[in-house]
Amino acid sequence: MERIEKRIEACKRCELWQTRTNPVVGAGSLSARILFVGEAPGYYEDLKGEPFVGKAGKVLDELLASIALQRTDVYIANVLKCRPPGNRNPTADEIRACTPYLDAQLEIIQPEIIATLGNFSLSYIFDKFGLPKDKISRIHGTVFTVSTIAGIKIKIRKVIPLYHPAVATYNPNMKETLIDDFKVLAGSLRYDLHL
Ligand code: URA
Ligand code: SF4
């Protein structure tokens, strides 16, 4: 992970390096069972170099606390490592340029559960694992199972699409939906068999 961090710090694979203050590699436990994938750094993340430190981050902390987890129990990464100016949407070229870093993080951490936060994350992860994409309003909080072959081992992984926590900052009703979906997330950890 340190090697990836160094590569991201020096990265000029897309034009976002020109406007970033700091890249945001990700944060959390390298042995996390859950990996959250957000979209891209925002204003405060760019200043601090840490993921989810603004308003959406406060919501994410509350959601984690609702299932008795802390940030240090999970890993939090983003599709893009540098902030798009004005928090505009990531472009397809930027996503293509940056996601080898996310792929490498997935390889290192080997999470049992990948929880996507928001549409760009959902789209990238669902395409990567060949899952059928649908509207987030239909599939949020649903557990999808994928098998991947690593060497000679078959790994079973779960993918759970979630709304982006920022939605709860402008629509308070969404907090309840997110809390329910985090219960699904916690349940799917609890009942996992370790064979
Ligand atoms: N929103 C994201 O998607 N990622 C962050 O790191 C912060 C806000
Ligand atoms: Fe490199 Fe990703 Fe930053 Fe673009 S967003 S400069 S690809 S680290």
Side-chain angles (χ1 to χ4, degrees), residues 24 38-42 45 50-54 56-57 76-78 117 164:
V24 177
E39 181 174 315
E45 291 79 20
E50 291 282 319
F52 284 94
V53 289
I76 305 171
N78 282 306
L117 302 172
H164 195 287

PDB file of all heavy atoms in Angstrom, residues 24 38-42 45 50-54 56-57 76-78 117 164, ligand 1:
ATOM      1  N   VAL A  24      -6.013  11.806  -2.310  1.00  0.00           N
ATOM      2  CA  VAL A  24      -6.572  11.040  -1.199  1.00  0.00           C
ATOM      3  C   VAL A  24      -6.475   9.564  -1.557  1.00  0.00           C
ATOM      4  O   VAL A  24      -7.231   9.066  -2.400  1.00  0.00           O
ATOM      5  CB  VAL A  24      -8.042  11.452  -0.935  1.00  0.00           C
ATOM      6  CG1 VAL A  24      -8.649  10.603   0.166  1.00  0.00           C
ATOM      7  CG2 VAL A  24      -8.127  12.936  -0.585  1.00  0.00           C
ATOM      8  N   GLY A  38     -16.076   5.227  -2.289  1.00  0.00           N
ATOM      9  CA  GLY A  38     -16.777   6.477  -2.582  1.00  0.00           C
ATOM     10  C   GLY A  38     -16.457   6.955  -3.982  1.00  0.00           C
ATOM     11  O   GLY A  38     -15.937   6.194  -4.819  1.00  0.00           O
ATOM     12  N   GLU A  39     -16.749   8.227  -4.241  1.00  0.00           N
ATOM     13  CA  GLU A  39     -16.598   8.755  -5.597  1.00  0.00           C
ATOM     14  C   GLU A  39     -15.238   9.434  -5.806  1.00  0.00           C
ATOM     15  O   GLU A  39     -14.396   8.942  -6.562  1.00  0.00           O
ATOM     16  CB  GLU A  39     -17.741   9.740  -5.845  1.00  0.00           C
ATOM     17  CG  GLU A  39     -17.748  10.352  -7.220  1.00  0.00           C
ATOM     18  CD  GLU A  39     -18.990  11.210  -7.425  1.00  0.00           C
ATOM     19  OE1 GLU A  39     -20.100  10.760  -7.057  1.00  0.00           O
ATOM     20  OE2 GLU A  39     -18.862  12.334  -7.932  1.00  0.00           O
ATOM     21  N   ALA A  40     -15.038  10.538  -5.124  1.00  0.00           N
ATOM     22  CA  ALA A  40     -13.815  11.324  -5.320  1.00  0.00           C
ATOM     23  C   ALA A  40     -13.684  12.280  -4.144  1.00  0.00           C
ATOM     24  O   ALA A  40     -14.675  12.595  -3.489  1.00  0.00           O
ATOM     25  CB  ALA A  40     -13.903  12.115  -6.625  1.00  0.00           C
ATOM     26  N   PRO A  41     -12.475  12.769  -3.886  1.00  0.00           N
ATOM     27  CA  PRO A  41     -12.321  13.748  -2.808  1.00  0.00           C
ATOM     28  C   PRO A  41     -13.132  15.004  -3.102  1.00  0.00           C
ATOM     29  O   PRO A  41     -13.287  15.402  -4.264  1.00  0.00           O
ATOM     30  CB  PRO A  41     -10.822  14.071  -2.829  1.00  0.00           C
ATOM     31  CG  PRO A  41     -10.177  12.977  -3.606  1.00  0.00           C
ATOM     32  CD  PRO A  41     -11.202  12.445  -4.544  1.00  0.00           C
ATOM     33  N   GLY A  42     -13.638  15.627  -2.062  1.00  0.00           N
ATOM     34  CA  GLY A  42     -14.283  16.932  -2.173  1.00  0.00           C
ATOM     35  C   GLY A  42     -13.340  18.004  -1.637  1.00  0.00           C
ATOM     36  O   GLY A  42     -12.123  17.779  -1.519  1.00  0.00           O
ATOM     37  N   GLU A  45     -11.542  17.018   1.776  1.00  0.00           N
ATOM     38  CA  GLU A  45     -10.683  15.845   1.568  1.00  0.00           C
ATOM     39  C   GLU A  45      -9.420  16.251   0.829  1.00  0.00           C
ATOM     40  O   GLU A  45      -8.313  15.808   1.160  1.00  0.00           O
ATOM     41  CB  GLU A  45     -11.438  14.772   0.774  1.00  0.00           C
ATOM     42  CG  GLU A  45     -12.584  14.097   1.536  1.00  0.00           C
ATOM     43  CD  GLU A  45     -13.857  14.926   1.605  1.00  0.00           C
ATOM     44  OE1 GLU A  45     -14.010  15.842   0.766  1.00  0.00           O
ATOM     45  OE2 GLU A  45     -14.701  14.667   2.493  1.00  0.00           O
ATOM     46  N   GLU A  50      -7.397  13.173   3.303  1.00  0.00           N
ATOM     47  CA  GLU A  50      -8.089  12.054   3.964  1.00  0.00           C
ATOM     48  C   GLU A  50      -9.480  11.893   3.361  1.00  0.00           C
ATOM     49  O   GLU A  50     -10.115  12.901   3.014  1.00  0.00           O
ATOM     50  CB  GLU A  50      -8.288  12.362   5.457  1.00  0.00           C
ATOM     51  CG  GLU A  50      -7.026  12.387   6.285  1.00  0.00           C
ATOM     52  CD  GLU A  50      -6.536  10.990   6.607  1.00  0.00           C
ATOM     53  OE1 GLU A  50      -7.390  10.122   6.913  1.00  0.00           O
ATOM     54  OE2 GLU A  50      -5.325  10.764   6.539  1.00  0.00           O
ATOM     55  N   PRO A  51      -9.977  10.636   3.265  1.00  0.00           N
ATOM     56  CA  PRO A  51     -11.313  10.461   2.692  1.00  0.00           C
ATOM     57  C   PRO A  51     -12.428  10.837   3.686  1.00  0.00           C
ATOM     58  O   PRO A  51     -12.254  10.673   4.897  1.00  0.00           O
ATOM     59  CB  PRO A  51     -11.370   8.965   2.381  1.00  0.00           C
ATOM     60  CG  PRO A  51     -10.443   8.337   3.365  1.00  0.00           C
ATOM     61  CD  PRO A  51      -9.351   9.356   3.609  1.00  0.00           C
ATOM     62  N   PHE A  52     -13.529  11.340   3.160  1.00  0.00           N
ATOM     63  CA  PHE A  52     -14.744  11.571   3.949  1.00  0.00           C
ATOM     64  C   PHE A  52     -14.497  12.330   5.254  1.00  0.00           C
ATOM     65  O   PHE A  52     -14.793  11.832   6.333  1.00  0.00           O
ATOM     66  CB  PHE A  52     -15.470  10.239   4.212  1.00  0.00           C
ATOM     67  CG  PHE A  52     -16.206   9.729   3.000  1.00  0.00           C
ATOM     68  CD1 PHE A  52     -15.609   8.818   2.131  1.00  0.00           C
ATOM     69  CD2 PHE A  52     -17.485  10.179   2.702  1.00  0.00           C
ATOM     70  CE1 PHE A  52     -16.290   8.360   0.996  1.00  0.00           C
ATOM     71  CE2 PHE A  52     -18.168   9.728   1.574  1.00  0.00           C
ATOM     72  CZ  PHE A  52     -17.570   8.819   0.723  1.00  0.00           C
ATOM     73  N   VAL A  53     -13.945  13.518   5.132  1.00  0.00           N
ATOM     74  CA  VAL A  53     -13.759  14.347   6.332  1.00  0.00           C
ATOM     75  C   VAL A  53     -14.733  15.535   6.375  1.00  0.00           C
ATOM     76  O   VAL A  53     -14.743  16.301   7.319  1.00  0.00           O
ATOM     77  CB  VAL A  53     -12.300  14.860   6.475  1.00  0.00           C
ATOM     78  CG1 VAL A  53     -11.376  13.715   6.846  1.00  0.00           C
ATOM     79  CG2 VAL A  53     -11.815  15.548   5.203  1.00  0.00           C
ATOM     80  N   GLY A  54     -15.583  15.685   5.357  1.00  0.00           N
ATOM     81  CA  GLY A  54     -16.568  16.777   5.351  1.00  0.00           C
ATOM     82  C   GLY A  54     -17.912  16.304   5.914  1.00  0.00           C
ATOM     83  O   GLY A  54     -17.964  15.393   6.744  1.00  0.00           O
ATOM     84  N   ALA A  56     -20.423  14.706   4.470  1.00  0.00           N
ATOM     85  CA  ALA A  56     -20.773  13.311   4.145  1.00  0.00           C
ATOM     86  C   ALA A  56     -20.007  12.353   5.054  1.00  0.00           C
ATOM     87  O   ALA A  56     -20.514  11.283   5.418  1.00  0.00           O
ATOM     88  CB  ALA A  56     -20.460  13.021   2.679  1.00  0.00           C
ATOM     89  N   GLY A  57     -18.805  12.758   5.445  1.00  0.00           N
ATOM     90  CA  GLY A  57     -17.987  11.928   6.329  1.00  0.00           C
ATOM     91  C   GLY A  57     -18.598  11.805   7.714  1.00  0.00           C
ATOM     92  O   GLY A  57     -18.515  10.753   8.356  1.00  0.00           O
ATOM     93  N   ILE A  76     -11.597   2.754   3.607  1.00  0.00           N
ATOM     94  CA  ILE A  76     -12.394   3.678   2.804  1.00  0.00           C
ATOM     95  C   ILE A  76     -11.541   4.218   1.663  1.00  0.00           C
ATOM     96  O   ILE A  76     -10.488   4.813   1.907  1.00  0.00           O
ATOM     97  CB  ILE A  76     -12.920   4.855   3.661  1.00  0.00           C
ATOM     98  CG1 ILE A  76     -13.697   4.334   4.877  1.00  0.00           C
ATOM     99  CG2 ILE A  76     -13.803   5.772   2.811  1.00  0.00           C
ATOM    100  CD1 ILE A  76     -14.061   5.408   5.892  1.00  0.00           C
ATOM    101  N   ALA A  77     -11.983   3.957   0.441  1.00  0.00           N
ATOM    102  CA  ALA A  77     -11.256   4.444  -0.737  1.00  0.00           C
ATOM    103  C   ALA A  77     -12.246   5.166  -1.650  1.00  0.00           C
ATOM    104  O   ALA A  77     -13.445   5.230  -1.363  1.00  0.00           O
ATOM    105  CB  ALA A  77     -10.603   3.272  -1.469  1.00  0.00           C
ATOM    106  N   ASN A  78     -11.741   5.703  -2.724  1.00  0.00           N
ATOM    107  CA  ASN A  78     -12.585   6.377  -3.711  1.00  0.00           C
ATOM    108  C   ASN A  78     -12.236   5.893  -5.112  1.00  0.00           C
ATOM    109  O   ASN A  78     -11.135   5.379  -5.339  1.00  0.00           O
ATOM    110  CB  ASN A  78     -12.349   7.892  -3.656  1.00  0.00           C
ATOM    111  CG  ASN A  78     -13.067   8.566  -2.492  1.00  0.00           C
ATOM    112  OD1 ASN A  78     -14.267   8.416  -2.326  1.00  0.00           O
ATOM    113  ND2 ASN A  78     -12.312   9.288  -1.682  1.00  0.00           N
ATOM    114  N   LEU A 117     -20.571   3.428  -2.583  1.00  0.00           N
ATOM    115  CA  LEU A 117     -21.253   4.637  -2.117  1.00  0.00           C
ATOM    116  C   LEU A 117     -21.480   5.543  -3.324  1.00  0.00           C
ATOM    117  O   LEU A 117     -20.540   6.151  -3.837  1.00  0.00           O
ATOM    118  CB  LEU A 117     -20.393   5.364  -1.072  1.00  0.00           C
ATOM    119  CG  LEU A 117     -20.006   4.548   0.173  1.00  0.00           C
ATOM    120  CD1 LEU A 117     -19.001   5.317   1.031  1.00  0.00           C
ATOM    121  CD2 LEU A 117     -21.240   4.205   1.008  1.00  0.00           C
ATOM    122  N   HIS A 164     -24.990   7.229  -1.624  1.00  0.00           N
ATOM    123  CA  HIS A 164     -23.876   8.031  -1.120  1.00  0.00           C
ATOM    124  C   HIS A 164     -24.329   8.752   0.152  1.00  0.00           C
ATOM    125  O   HIS A 164     -25.418   9.331   0.172  1.00  0.00           O
ATOM    126  CB  HIS A 164     -23.453   9.052  -2.182  1.00  0.00           C
ATOM    127  CG  HIS A 164     -22.120   9.657  -1.900  1.00  0.00           C
ATOM    128  ND1 HIS A 164     -21.936  10.567  -0.891  1.00  0.00           N
ATOM    129  CD2 HIS A 164     -20.899   9.453  -2.453  1.00  0.00           C
ATOM    130  CE1 HIS A 164     -20.658  10.920  -0.860  1.00  0.00           C
ATOM    131  NE2 HIS A 164     -20.009  10.247  -1.795  1.00  0.00           N
TER     132      HIS A 164
HETATM  133  N1  URA B   1     -17.379  12.032  -1.100  1.00  0.00           N
HETATM  134  C1  URA B   1     -16.745  10.973  -1.635  1.00  0.00           C
HETATM  135  O1  URA B   1     -17.278  10.295  -2.496  1.00  0.00           O
HETATM  136  N2  URA B   1     -15.546  10.674  -1.205  1.00  0.00           N
HETATM  137  C2  URA B   1     -14.923  11.360  -0.246  1.00  0.00           C
HETATM  138  O2  URA B   1     -13.815  10.991   0.109  1.00  0.00           O
HETATM  139  C3  URA B   1     -15.597  12.456   0.311  1.00  0.00           C
HETATM  140  C4  URA B   1     -16.820  12.784  -0.135  1.00  0.00           C
END
